């Protein structure tokens, strides 16, 4: 059995581009594990102190420690997943296959090679849970473990990063990195060198969130009363008469009549004159907020603030905002206090953050469909790990209805039928509004149920844990409890197991696979089916019509198109990332010099100011770069040339500040003021991004019409 399994995964590995056979490693690990099972804890700890440990020896020690501490015996498939990650791959392991324990085997070996390890997780709850849950195994092996959460104090963060292993979200790691970049005293630093990263839910972190910038801001930038005036003006404009909506690129365009109304209301003359660029941008933000951003779909209101909903997870995206002008326009639309956006002092995307590590690997339940992107963008191959037990879940074909109302009625009938039989049902919906609409429908039918969406995501683990009980009905947005197993209640297996119903398809197949994967864990019975309509957002956005019946083909085409836009956007950011690393390295050297010879606090403040000014200049350049294409020039070439010229001046002024701190214009008594962090959305190129998206939508439509199915 072991040899057969090893040959299967080796074939998969070689198909994915790898060359390492596993059969010998598996046999050696299991042979050594058997020898160590009778060893005392002291003997195990003594053996674990050897540095560096051979891979098979380390895995055997960790496997025995896991069984000794937690009573968990690592299956061969878990060893295979850990071997894949130890070789710098992404391991695709299905829901319920024990990824948390699998990670321990790889992490312990990486530490034995001398690398501090960050385990990057999806949220604070999982960071704390996994660090505490697996901590006993690490302690037996003589390794220290810490975790980071959003509310943690600076000294506690420093202690956590000083451990051999640190569990944290990439957001917290990134924000701490940005804060370190503003430190004026070495004692204020919390990070040490970036060693190895093991990324849990790798598809979410490396694809869904990779392009999202983390921002540290400061200073005062109070919004003007103009923002509220423009919000009222946008509300008064009428569709078709004053503006048109490009449903596919999510863009609003003023008509000539609309421009005339705006010009008369504001008394600004020609709205499109160069001197009105700032006004035109603010008006565009107001229209975008009023027309395109939908409450309970794109965001919810809570605690007197806008709370963005993560489109991939369905959760509230904590401390995430849209770019400054759009965020302020949305607050004005909803009649809220206009929050200070502040001056950007530093920014980094998760893609760039991951690039800081010397070694990267990962694991997730869904990676194979995005294997090409992982390889092209991150240089990471995907290895599909077989399940410990055969998957017997029944994945039924989609049912497509002409209208949304017909689809909703059929879903309610299907839920009623399963519920009456006592079978648990998990229903996946596209938005908060959709989940609540279905909830009202079920309440009207007298069907008890739980709703899991961005309004109650703190209850996620508890709700998902009960979703497999007899007769349970759970309605969820995309969150669906990543990281929490749904265990079947008594007698449920005989009824067919958990029944997963999807009410929409997503642009990426792996999001749908995540939902399907909630059923059928560890060989459990289960079933899944998607109920679709030709009025679904994906169908209408891409004008699919009858192609709704060939959704897998449609999704593959869209995935390829989305990869191209992400690669294009990365070309713009790559230069800025290289420059950021250069500036941060220079600043850190100055910080060390200050410690040794008491000098140049003013120089560091000047570096911070110059970098902040440069980021603002680059942002302004990006916002207008799309106009370049109208003159027949290449926008990317123009951007790279102008950004390089700007940065050359920044370098000159940084060098001058270091050579003459006293003359740089920043007194030692200067106070930076409060700083805060947030995540902005992935719209780094503003209108240009929308134009790219519109072009891709058109390209996708053409591909769908011409490509074979």
């Amino acid at each position: 059995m072991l040899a057969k399994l090893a040959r299967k995964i080796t074939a998969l590995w070689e198909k994915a581009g790898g060359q390492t056979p596993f059969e010998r490693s598996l046999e050696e690990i299991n042979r050594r594990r058997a020898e160590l099972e009778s060893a005392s804890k002291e003997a195990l700890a003594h053996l674990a102190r050897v540095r560096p440990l051979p891979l098979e020896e380390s895995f055997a020690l960790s496997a025995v420690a896991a069984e000794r501490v937690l009573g968990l015996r690592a299956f061969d498939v878990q060893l295979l997943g850990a071997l894949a990650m130890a070789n710098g791959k992404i391991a695709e392991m299905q829901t319920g296959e024990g990824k948390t324990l699998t990670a321990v085997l790889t992490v312990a070996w990486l530490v034995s090679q001398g690398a501090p390890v960050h385990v990057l997780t999806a949220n604070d709850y999982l960071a704390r849970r996994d660090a505490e849950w697996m901590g006993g195994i690490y302690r037996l092996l003589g390794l220290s473990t810490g975790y980071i959460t959003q509310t943690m104090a600076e000294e506690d963060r420093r202690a956590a990063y000083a451990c051999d292993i640190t569990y944290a979200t990439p957001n917290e790691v990134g924000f701490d990195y940005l804060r370190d970049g503003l430190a004026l005293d070495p004692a204020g630093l919390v990070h040490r060198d970036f060693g190895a990263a093991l990324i849990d839910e790798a598809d979410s972190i490396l694809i869904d969130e990779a392009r999202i910038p983390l921002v540290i801001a400061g200073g005062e930038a109070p919004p003007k009363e103009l923002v509220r005036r423009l919000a009222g003006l946008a509300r008064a404009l009428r569709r078709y008469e004053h503006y048109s909506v490009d449903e596919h690129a999510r863009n609003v365009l003023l008509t000539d009549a609309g421009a005339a109304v705006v010009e008369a209301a504001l008394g600004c003359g020609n709205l499109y004159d160069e001197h009105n660029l700032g006004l035109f941008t603010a008006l565009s933000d107001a229209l975008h907020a009023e027309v395109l951003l939908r409450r309970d779909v794109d965001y919810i209101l809570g605690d007197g603030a806008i709370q963005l909903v993560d489109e991939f997870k369905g959760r509230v995206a904590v401390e995430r905002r849209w770019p400054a002008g759009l965020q302020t326009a949305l607050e004005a639309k909803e009649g809220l206090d206009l929050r200070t956006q502040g001056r950007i002092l530093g920014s980094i995307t998760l893609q760039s953050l991951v690039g800081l590590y010397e070694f990267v690997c990962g694991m997730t339940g869904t990676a194979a469909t995005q294997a090409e992107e992982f390889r092209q963008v991150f240089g990471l191959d995907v290895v599909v790990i077989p399940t410990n037990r055969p998957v017997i879940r029944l994945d039924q074909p989609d049912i497509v209805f002409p209208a949304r109302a017909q689809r909703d009625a059929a879903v309610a009938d299907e839920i009623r039928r399963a519920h009456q039989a006592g079978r648990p049902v998990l229903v996946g919906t596209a938005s908060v509004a959709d989940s609540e609409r279905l909830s009202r429908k079920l309440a009207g039918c007298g069907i008890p149920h739980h709703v899991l969406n961005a309004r109650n995501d703190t209850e996620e683990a508890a709700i998902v844990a009960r979703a497999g009980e007899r007769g349970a009905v759970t309605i969820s947005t995309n969150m669906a409890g990543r990281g929490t197993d749904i265990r079947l209640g008594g007698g449920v297996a005989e009824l067919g197991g958990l029944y997963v119903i999807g009410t929409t398809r997503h642009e990426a197949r792996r999001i749908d696979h995540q939902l399907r994967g909630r059923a059928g864990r560890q060989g459990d019975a289960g079933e899944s089916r998607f109920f679709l309509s030709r009025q679904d957002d994906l169908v209408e956005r891409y004008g699919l019509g009858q192609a709704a019946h060939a959704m897998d083909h449609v999704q593959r085409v869209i995935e390829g198109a989305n990869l191209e836009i992400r690669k294009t956007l990365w070309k713009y950011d790559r230069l800025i990332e290289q420059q950021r690393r250069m500036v941060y390295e220079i600043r850190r050297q100055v910080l060390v010099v200050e410690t040794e010879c008491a000098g140049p606090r003013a120089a560091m403040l000047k570096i911070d100011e110059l970098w902040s000014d440069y980021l603002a200049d680059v942002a302004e350049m990006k916002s207008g770069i799309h106009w370049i294409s109208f003159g027949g020039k290449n926008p990317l070439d123009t951007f790279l040339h102008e950004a390089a010229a700007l940065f050359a001046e920044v370098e000159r002024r940084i060098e001058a500040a270091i050579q003459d701190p006293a003359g740089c214009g920043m007194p030692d008594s200067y106070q930076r003021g409060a700083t805060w962090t947030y995540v902005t959305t992935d719209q780094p190129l503003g209108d240009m991004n929308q134009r790219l998206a519109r072009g891709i939508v058109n390209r996708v439509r053409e591909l769908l019409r011409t490509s074979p199915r």
Side-chain angles (χ1 to χ4, degrees), residues 21 28 63 148 152 221 265 293 422 514 532 544 565-566 678-679:
E28 176 60 23
I148 305 289
M152 193 170 281
L293 294 179
Q514 279 282 348
L532 310 176
L544 301 178
I565 193 172
R566 284 192 284 265
Y678 60 89
V679 187

Side-chain angles (χ1 to χ4, degrees), residues 340-354:
T340 297
Q341 300 301 313
R343 171 191 179 111
I344 294 179
L345 303 175
S347 177
I348 189 171
T349 63
L350 296 188
Q351 183 172 345
S352 297
L353 180 70
V354 169

Side-chain angles (χ1 to χ4, degrees), residues 154-290:
E154 179 183 296
E155 58 270 24
D156 296 324
R157 291 172 181 268
R158 189 177 299 109
Y161 287 124
C163 293
D164 297 311
I165 303 129
T166 309
Y167 285 77
T169 66
N171 283 12
E172 289 306 307
V173 172
F175 285 142
D176 284 333
Y177 174 75
L178 292 174
R179 281 187 283 259
D180 277 2
L182 294 175
L184 296 172
D185 187 326
L189 300 174
V190 299
H191 272 296
R192 51 176 173 159
D193 290 341
F194 284 70
L198 187 151
I199 304 175
D200 192 8
E201 306 292 1
D203 63 321
S204 175
I205 292 172
L206 294 182
I207 294 179
D208 297 341
E209 301 179 11
R211 301 283 317 134
I212 299 176
L214 310 179
V215 174
I216 187 166
E220 292 295 326
K224 299 178 180 179
E225 186 57 34
L226 176 65
V227 176
R228 294 199 186 278
R229 187 178 177 190
L230 291 175
L233 181 57
R235 191 174 302 116
L237 296 177
R238 294 187 293 273
R239 187 173 180 178
Y240 305 117
E241 181 181 354
H242 297 133
Y243 63 84
S244 62
V245 178
D246 180 347
E247 295 286 0
H248 308 296
R250 292 177 60 80
N251 199 9
V252 183
L253 303 172
L254 280 176
T255 64
D256 290 343
V261 169
V262 171
E263 289 166 354
L266 299 178
C268 61
N270 188 340
L271 181 62
Y272 301 102
D273 278 350
E274 185 175 351
H275 71 273
N276 279 330
L277 178 60
L279 179 63
F280 177 77
T281 300
L283 176 67
S284 297
D285 287 335
L287 276 170
H288 196 127
E290 177 64 32

Side-chain angles (χ1 to χ4, degrees), residues 291-366:
V291 178
L292 299 179
L293 294 179
R294 299 160 293 172
R295 189 195 302 181
D296 294 338
V297 176
D298 302 300
Y299 64 94
I300 62 174
L301 299 183
D303 300 324
I306 301 291
Q307 297 182 340
L308 273 70
V309 177
D310 188 306
E311 64 177 305
F312 297 105
K313 301 176 183 176
R315 299 182 177 96
V316 166
V318 179
E319 284 302 309
R320 185 179 298 177
R321 308 179 192 180
W322 276 283
L326 184 55
Q327 177 76 22
T328 304
L330 189 60
E331 289 166 350
K333 167 190 173 180
E334 295 291 351
L336 302 175
D337 291 336
L338 305 185
R339 300 167 66 190
T340 297
Q341 300 301 313
R343 171 191 179 111
I344 294 179
L345 303 175
S347 177
I348 189 171
T349 63
L350 296 188
Q351 183 172 345
S352 297
L353 180 70
V354 169
L356 298 176
Y357 291 93
E358 295 180 18
F359 178 92
V360 176
C361 62
M363 58 186 186
T364 183
T366 46

Side-chain angles (χ1 to χ4, degrees), residues 617-639:
D617 290 341
V618 167
E620 184 175 349
M621 190 193 314
K622 283 180 178 178
S623 69
I625 199 70
H626 62 284
W627 297 111
I628 295 296
S629 60
F630 296 152
K633 297 181 180 179
N634 183 300
L636 176 60
D637 290 344
T638 301
F639 172 80

Side-chain angles (χ1 to χ4, degrees), residues 47-231:
L47 290 170
R49 284 196 290 270
V50 176
R51 295 289 188 276
L53 271 172
L55 187 145
E56 290 84 359
E57 178 78 358
S58 175
F59 274 36
L61 279 167
S62 297
V64 171
E67 195 161 7
R68 192 74 56 86
V69 174
L70 297 178
L72 298 175
R73 184 168 181 83
F75 302 128
D76 287 340
V77 293
Q78 290 173 299
L79 297 176
L80 290 171
L83 283 167
M85 289 191 287
N87 282 274
K89 313 294 181 183
I90 292 177
E92 178 179 285
M93 300 178 67
Q94 297 301 308
T95 299
E97 292 294 301
K99 290 189 285 291
T100 304
L101 177 58
T102 299
V104 171
L105 306 174
T106 303
V107 167
W109 177 73
L110 287 170
V111 174
S112 80
Q113 306 307 298
V117 180
H118 291 173
V119 182
L120 303 181
T121 64
N123 54 56
D124 283 358
Y125 163 76
L126 292 176
R128 179 171 184 166
R129 184 201 73 175
D130 292 354
E132 293 178 341
W133 185 15
M134 300 292 120
I137 303 174
Y138 293 127
R139 284 191 293 273
L140 191 154
L141 298 173
L143 306 177
S144 57
T145 313
Y147 63 87
I148 305 289
T149 60
Q150 188 178 22
T151 58
M152 193 170 281
E154 179 183 296
E155 58 270 24
D156 296 324
R157 291 172 181 268
R158 189 177 299 109
Y161 287 124
C163 293
D164 297 311
I165 303 129
T166 309
Y167 285 77
T169 66
N171 283 12
E172 289 306 307
V173 172
F175 285 142
D176 284 333
Y177 174 75
L178 292 174
R179 281 187 283 259
D180 277 2
L182 294 175
L184 296 172
D185 187 326
L189 300 174
V190 299
H191 272 296
R192 51 176 173 159
D193 290 341
F194 284 70
L198 187 151
I199 304 175
D200 192 8
E201 306 292 1
D203 63 321
S204 175
I205 292 172
L206 294 182
I207 294 179
D208 297 341
E209 301 179 11
R211 301 283 317 134
I212 299 176
L214 310 179
V215 174
I216 187 166
E220 292 295 326
K224 299 178 180 179
E225 186 57 34
L226 176 65
V227 176
R228 294 199 186 278
R229 187 178 177 190
L230 291 175

Side-chain angles (χ1 to χ4, degrees), residues 420-615:
Q420 288 174 347
R423 188 178 188 185
V425 182
L426 174 66
V427 188
T429 61
S431 67
V432 173
D434 285 350
S435 67
E436 293 178 345
R437 186 178 67 250
L438 180 58
S439 174
R440 290 191 295 270
K441 196 171 188 67
L442 295 185
C445 298
I447 300 175
H449 59 278
H450 292 283
V451 179
L452 176 59
N453 61 31
R455 297 195 200 279
N456 63 340
D457 56 1
T458 56
E459 305 169 45
E460 176 180 355
I463 292 175
V464 171
R466 298 193 299 268
E469 295 177 358
R470 188 180 180 92
V473 176
T474 308
I475 304 170
S476 176
T477 50
N478 291 346
M479 53 211 319
R482 274 197 183 205
T484 303
D485 282 346
I486 298 179
R487 299 180 182 275
L488 300 184
V492 168
E494 290 73 18
L495 297 172
L498 179 66
Y499 186 13
V500 170
I501 296 176
T503 60
T504 187
R505 287 289 202 114
H506 300 86
E507 289 191 358
R509 287 170 290 164
R510 59 192 171 77
I511 305 296
D512 298 336
H513 294 340
Q514 279 282 348
L515 180 61
R516 288 192 194 276
R518 305 313 299 160
R521 62 174 293 280
Q522 280 290 331
D524 284 344
E527 185 177 359
S528 73
R529 171 162 259 159
F530 281 80
F531 290 69
L532 310 176
S533 91
R534 294 197 180 97
Q535 293 180 329
D536 286 349
D537 181 61
L538 187 65
V539 176
E540 290 192 333
R541 193 186 325 148
Y542 290 95
L544 301 178
Q546 298 300 320
H549 288 280
M551 193 57 73
D552 282 346
H553 167 74
V554 169
Q555 289 172 309
R556 282 193 295 271
V557 174
I558 294 172
E559 286 165 0
N562 284 336
L563 169 58
E564 290 306 312
I565 193 172
R566 284 192 284 265
K567 287 166 61 178
T568 299
L569 294 175
W570 173 239
K571 292 176 183 177
Y572 283 84
D573 281 357
R574 186 163 46 196
L575 175 65
I576 309 303
E577 169 60 14
Q578 293 169 350
Q579 294 167 342
R580 185 196 56 73
R581 291 195 188 190
M582 186 185 306
V583 169
Y584 274 39
E585 178 58 30
I586 292 172
R587 193 189 188 283
R588 184 171 284 264
Q589 291 176 6
V590 174
L591 185 65
V592 173
V593 168
E594 182 181 23
T595 304
E596 294 177 348
C597 61
R601 172 188 173 98
M604 287 188 289
L605 289 168
K606 188 63 178 179
I607 292 172
D608 296 343
E609 181 185 71
L610 290 169
W611 180 243
S612 179
D613 288 344
Y614 177 69
L615 291 178

